[in-house]
Amino acid sequence: MACIGHALKGVLGAPDYEAYLAHCKAAHPDVPVMSEEAFFRFAIDRRYSKPGGGMRCC
């Protein structure tokens, strides 16, 4: 069942918190990681914001 949820998130473009944690542990072990809530907020802001502010549709 977890595989279905993971696949659905990938199709929808949802960020993968577990992949983020694994990357941080491997590449940046000395840097504190974001909470799951902060990570998703960061990912959504990054995806839907553009230079100069505002939202974009595509």
Side-chain angles (χ1 to χ4, degrees), residues 19-55:
Y20 161 74
L21 291 176
H23 167 78
C24 287
K25 184 178 179 181
H28 314 284
D30 55 328
V31 177
V33 296
M34 290 184 265
S35 68
E36 190 169 4
E37 181 180 336
F39 170 75
F40 281 107
R41 189 174 322 124
F42 169 79
I44 295 300
D45 288 346
R46 184 172 155 202
R47 182 175 183 143
Y48 292 108
S49 64
K50 63 179 180 180
M55 299 287 285

Side-chain angles (χ1 to χ4, degrees), residues 7-25:
L8 183 58
K9 285 181 180 182
V11 169
L12 296 175
D16 188 350
Y17 185 67
E18 297 301 321
Y20 161 74
L21 291 176
H23 167 78
C24 287
K25 184 178 179 181

